[in-house]
Amino acid sequence: MRLIVVALCWAATAALAGAAGIVVQHSPQQPRSEAVVRITASGTALAQQSNLFVEYQLIEPGQYVELNDPKYKKGWNPVPLNDEGQNGDVTKGDGVFTAELPASLQKHRRLVRYRISAGGRVLAPEPGDTQPNFAYFVYDGVPAWRAAVNPARDTPVTLSAEVMRSVQVYHFIAGKSAVEDTTWYQPSDVFDEGSRHRYDHTCTIVADDNVYDHVRFRIRGGEWRHAMGKNMWKFDFNRGHHLQARDDFGRPYATRWEKLNLGACIQQGNYGRRGEHGLYEAVTYGLFNLAGVPAPRTHYVHLRVVNGAEESPASQYEGDFWGLYLATEEIDDNFLKEHNLPDGNLYKWDFGQPKPEHLAKGAPTNRQDVLQFAAACQRPQSDDWWRRNVDLRRYFSYRSILECVHHYDIAFGKNYFYYLDPRARQWIVLPWDVDLTWKDTMFGTGQEPFYRAGLIRSPQFNIEYQNRLREVRDLLFNPEQTGALIDEYAAVIADPAGGPSFVDADRAKWDYHPIMASRWVHPIKAGQGRFYGESPTRDFRGMVKQMKDYVVERGRWCDTALLTDVALPPAPSVAADGALDFTKATLKFQASMPASQSPAPSVEWRMAEITLAPAVKLSAPRRYEIESLWQETGKSAAEIPTNLLEPGRTYRVRARACDATGHCGHWSEAVEFVAGKKP
């Protein structure tokens, strides 16, 4: 009889299949020291078995056992599993079997693996499960941490447990040599495909109290993957046990992650911008998503590497704390689901060559679709061909954000994906690897294939591109809106009031870490004492200000160098048509155009909800003006349904004029209001 096993100790569970299913769970979910752990197993198949046991294996910190280690097969200790219950609270014969692992087994930072067996045969997890045991991690909570920026010069300070717990924690449990060899001492050849993508070791990841065991891991990154000391990680989760990740607000993503990319949040030293702590990537991906370009979700991670006996030894450069990392969503089939995109072929470009990342069911598998498209892009094509084959609206948005943040490291056929939307048979460009941004001297020319093909040099397409860039400038890439987005991400990792925060811990861990001056790094890219080198105030707050200043400077450049159209219809003046009465079905607005406009241009209307809040850590993402709640194209009057409004929330209404040649002017000054109560 086939046994379907579902472990409730891992995030959400799948539906049971048939009466033979075995459900296994433990309580508490993440035990603390000296807690009794109850394991229960239920299912009709168990009643047919005798000599049922829970077998457990203890993994001490610093003594990790990988799945392929001969030690994994040893050291399993049996505890009887019975249906008589504990303390008489379970009815005998009801098919629910229990066992208790005593308090003496629960030690801080100990990993406990377990499985269900009968007569020496493992019943659960079932044979063939990619994760052949269940597990829990005993943990008493992240402690305070004491460190100095430069221990040779500075007095250590204590960062409280509250500060250290302010960013969601991932525990990475592995062997010490496996971790250090992978990231430092055994560099992989990035120009050899086999070496570059090979996973040589397994580990255990603990996230949100859930244990993911036997996860493959490797270093990640391109040419500079071993250069900066604090390097990047990639984790490959087992089939059926993908990571249920959460965003910075604690909300679970709609789809699980098969792969986890951890960015190191440390800028290349020779660019002078070390100390932005991953904001360049997080904010840039946020801008792309807000502009309608599907881009990876991100969230910050406090990474703790359990590979030694002590959690917080005397040296601040030893122990579990490894600093701040940025989790970046993999662009794969799960990405398509997360972003509500239909199943289509997906290719990552790697120095001019498309690498299939996902092939849709029934779609071509020989890359001919993307190779033929890429070849055609190198030949002169008509505007009609481009309209048929490319989602131009998204491309103009992609190109707009690319220019706004100087995401120019794309010129050598890398750092972007092509996705074929099967509905319209159109290609969409997806951004990737956006760390070298927010400074005009960052690497690259920005000349990706569509740009080189002259797409936006077409007179009509140039009009449409400038219309979109102008809209992005009006509604998103400006000091107010992008400034608020920067504040939103910065508040996750730093105290807006200036108090001690997680970025201080990250700097203390890595600014003068010995590895930064070792032979295992590139001296130009690594180096000690490079945090906040260009910050006007020599701290993280100065880096935030530097980003906000760049919005002003780069926005001014976009306006003069790219937005060269002068034959634009002027922006209308917009006002409410009478008092705003939220008890009525609609709110009426009127747009006034200069009398000299002839013929009268078409008027586009829009309304958006916005979040007006100070720079504080919020419980939910802000609403940004580019996220339209209502749009309409017509004449000078508009009626907006009040059923779209929520009392107490803030909204903005704007209009713009578009003439017969396709030129659209700036959006008008906003009419801003707070929605009142409805009947």
Side-chain angles (χ1 to χ4, degrees):
M1 181 178 294
R2 184 173 183 268
L3 304 179
I4 307 298
V5 180
V6 179
L8 294 182
C9 53
W10 281 288
T13 59
L16 295 180
I22 297 179
V23 178
V24 180
Q25 58 184 337
H26 64 259
S27 179
Q29 175 76 359
Q30 185 174 83
R32 300 177 77 87
S33 295
E34 308 301 327
V36 173
V37 174
R38 169 171 288 189
I39 296 173
T40 64
S42 61
T44 56
L46 293 178
Q48 305 169 20
Q49 306 292 332
S50 58
N51 298 321
L52 285 168
F53 291 92
V54 170
E55 298 178 352
Y56 69 86
Q57 182 184 70
L58 305 179
I59 307 298
E60 305 295 350
Q63 300 178 35
Y64 189 74
V65 177
E66 295 194 30
L67 182 60
N68 62 358
D69 190 322
K71 294 179 182 178
Y72 177 77
K73 297 180 180 180
K74 304 175 183 179
W76 291 92
N77 305 286
V79 173
L81 185 69
N82 58 68
D83 68 347
E84 295 180 0
Q86 302 294 325
N87 301 320
D89 60 352
V90 177
T91 303
K92 183 176 181 179
D94 66 355
V96 178
F97 294 77
T98 65
E100 287 188 349
L101 301 189
S104 60
L105 295 181
Q106 320 314 326
K107 302 297 183 184
H108 181 57
R109 298 170 66 240
R110 174 181 277 176
L111 175 67
V112 180
R113 292 169 171 158
Y114 68 93
R115 61 196 187 190
I116 310 299
S117 69
R121 181 169 60 93
V122 176
L123 301 180
E126 69 171 307
D129 195 312
T130 57
Q131 192 165 274
N133 57 264
F134 309 117
Y136 62 82
F137 182 54
V138 183
Y139 199 62
D140 296 338
V142 175
W145 189 62
R146 186 170 176 80
V149 172
N150 182 354
R153 178 196 66 201
D154 304 325
T155 302
V157 298
T158 298
L159 294 165
S160 69
E162 181 182 12
V163 167
M164 299 302 291
R165 297 173 186 178
S166 63
V167 176
Q168 63 176 305
V169 176
Y170 283 12
H171 280 92
F172 170 14
I173 309 172
K176 186 176 181 64
S177 62
V179 171
E180 295 181 350
D181 288 349
T182 301
T183 191
W184 294 326
Y185 305 138
Q186 293 180 358
S188 55
D189 183 355
V190 298
F191 298 105
D192 176 79
E193 284 296 306
S195 174
R196 179 179 181 179
H197 297 109
R198 186 173 61 242
Y199 294 89
D200 289 329
H201 297 282
T202 59
C203 68
T204 301
I205 296 293
V206 184
D208 197 26
D209 296 345
N210 298 310
V211 174
Y212 303 86
D213 212 356
H214 313 300
V215 176
R216 301 191 304 162
F217 73 91
R218 64 172 173 83
I219 203 71
R220 65 177 283 256
E223 181 180 358
W224 304 110
R225 63 165 53 188
H226 295 282
M228 285 174 283
K230 186 188 182 190
N231 297 319
M232 302 186 291
W233 296 101
K234 194 177 190 82
F235 301 89
D236 184 19
F237 289 79
N238 291 302
R239 185 182 69 256
H241 302 277
H242 291 172
L243 173 68
Q244 178 57 76
R246 295 178 179 269
D247 67 13
D248 289 319
F249 303 96
R251 305 174 306 173
Y253 296 112
T255 58
R256 292 172 177 247
W257 290 14
E258 179 180 353
K259 296 207 169 44
L260 169 64
N261 300 293
L262 286 185
C265 296
I266 189 165
Q267 193 57 250
Q268 296 184 24
N270 57 312
Y271 287 107
R273 292 294 177 89
R274 179 159 294 171
E276 42 87 15
H277 295 280
L279 279 185
Y280 287 1
E281 293 172 88
V283 175
T284 296
Y285 283 134
L287 289 169
F288 275 120
N289 276 310
L290 286 170
V293 179
R297 314 284 192 206
T298 65
H299 59 273
Y300 280 109
V301 167
H302 167 178
L303 185 65
R304 300 185 74 81
V305 180
V306 182
N307 64 359
E310 292 186 72
E311 182 172 27
S312 301
S315 171
Q316 67 186 58
Y317 302 121
E318 300 292 334
D320 291 6
F321 177 58
W322 270 59
L324 182 70
Y325 288 75
L326 186 71
T328 301
E329 181 185 18
E330 182 87 348
I331 298 183
D332 56 12
D333 56 327
N334 294 318
F335 174 94
L336 299 181
K337 296 173 186 175
E338 177 73 27
H339 294 262
N340 298 312
L341 296 170
D343 193 24
N345 281 2
L346 186 61
Y347 300 92
K348 180 181 181 180
W349 284 85
D350 190 8
F351 292 99
Q353 291 298 315
K355 174 187 174 185
E357 290 292 328
H358 170 67
L359 298 175
K361 185 177 181 180
T365 60
N366 58 2
R367 301 193 305 166
Q368 285 307 300
D369 54 349
V370 69
L371 291 173
Q372 290 174 5
F373 172 70
C377 288
Q378 298 178 32
R379 302 189 299 269
Q381 300 291 349
S382 67
D383 286 5
D384 183 61
W385 184 89
W386 285 107
R387 284 198 194 281
R388 289 197 315 270
N389 288 281
V390 176
D391 185 332
L392 292 177
R393 172 72 175 178
R394 280 195 167 111
Y395 173 70
F396 296 147
S397 296
Y398 168 79
R399 190 72 211 180
S400 294
I401 300 300
L402 180 157
E403 292 286 6
C404 287
V405 301
H406 195 277
H407 174 41
Y408 279 14
D409 188 16
I410 54 176
F412 293 96
K414 62 173 185 170
N415 297 337
Y416 52 84
F417 286 68
Y418 281 177
Y419 158 67
L420 182 60
D421 186 333
R423 296 168 300 188
R425 302 296 302 171
Q426 290 181 325
W427 292 93
I428 298 173
V429 187
L430 309 176
W432 185 248
D433 198 355
V434 297
D435 59 325
L436 296 182
T437 46
W438 294 85
K439 186 177 182 180
D440 289 352
T441 56
M442 289 294 191
F443 181 78
T445 66
Q447 296 186 9
E448 37 76 26
F450 296 177
Y451 181 90
R452 290 196 298 270
L455 192 157
I456 60 175
R457 289 195 294 274
S458 158
Q460 183 56 44
F461 291 161
N462 190 257
I463 291 172
E464 295 174 27
Y465 164 59
Q466 290 199 48
N467 285 346
R468 182 53 174 164
L469 177 57
R470 190 176 303 110
E471 184 172 44
V472 166
R473 286 281 293 122
D474 287 347
L475 303 175
L476 179 60
F477 195 73
N478 56 59
E480 182 204 56
Q481 291 291 289
T482 298
L485 187 66
I486 293 168
D487 285 340
E488 180 179 307
Y489 284 103
V492 176
I493 57 177
D495 179 5
S501 61
F502 202 85
V503 295
D504 300 316
D506 187 60
R507 182 194 183 183
K509 182 69 177 185
W510 291 103
D511 203 0
Y512 286 88
H513 194 293
I515 202 72
M516 295 296 192
S518 72
R519 68 186 182 92
W520 304 108
V521 299
H522 195 294
I524 294 177
K525 298 295 182 180
Q528 294 179 326
R530 285 184 155 181
F531 273 69
Y532 313 131
E534 292 186 358
S535 166
T537 52
R538 295 296 187 268
D539 58 12
F540 178 68
R541 298 183 78 181
M543 300 299 291
V544 171
K545 182 180 184 302
Q546 197 170 50
M547 289 183 72
K548 292 181 177 181
D549 290 344
Y550 187 75
V551 175
V552 176
E553 297 161 8
R554 188 69 178 179
R556 187 181 301 120
W557 179 85
C558 289
D559 293 345
T560 57
L562 303 178
L563 293 174
T564 55
D565 268 347
V566 293
L568 300 176
S573 298
V574 174
D577 189 359
L580 296 178
D581 187 346
F582 300 99
T583 65
K584 293 185 177 180
T586 62
L587 302 179
K588 296 182 179 181
F589 294 85
Q590 188 72 35
S592 301
M593 298 293 299
S596 60
Q597 284 294 112
S598 180
S602 174
V603 177
E604 293 184 358
W605 291 89
R606 71 184 323 275
M607 181 184 71
E609 180 186 345
I610 61 166
T611 303
L612 298 177
V616 296
K617 188 169 185 176
L618 303 172
S619 59
R622 297 172 187 262
R623 296 302 304 268
Y624 292 89
E625 193 173 3
I626 202 166
E627 301 174 283
S628 178
L629 185 61
W630 170 89
Q631 287 181 282
E632 186 175 88
T633 299
K635 298 184 179 180
S636 59
E639 295 188 10
I640 302 177
T642 54
N643 61 10
L644 299 175
L645 310 175
E646 292 291 334
R649 297 186 179 179
T650 304
Y651 300 87
R652 284 178 179 171
V653 175
R654 296 183 191 257
R656 71 173 178 179
C658 298
D659 63 23
T661 66
H663 291 86
C664 294
H666 286 281
W667 285 98
S668 67
E669 293 295 320
V671 175
E672 184 177 306
F673 62 89
V674 176
K677 292 184 178 180
K678 293 179 278 189

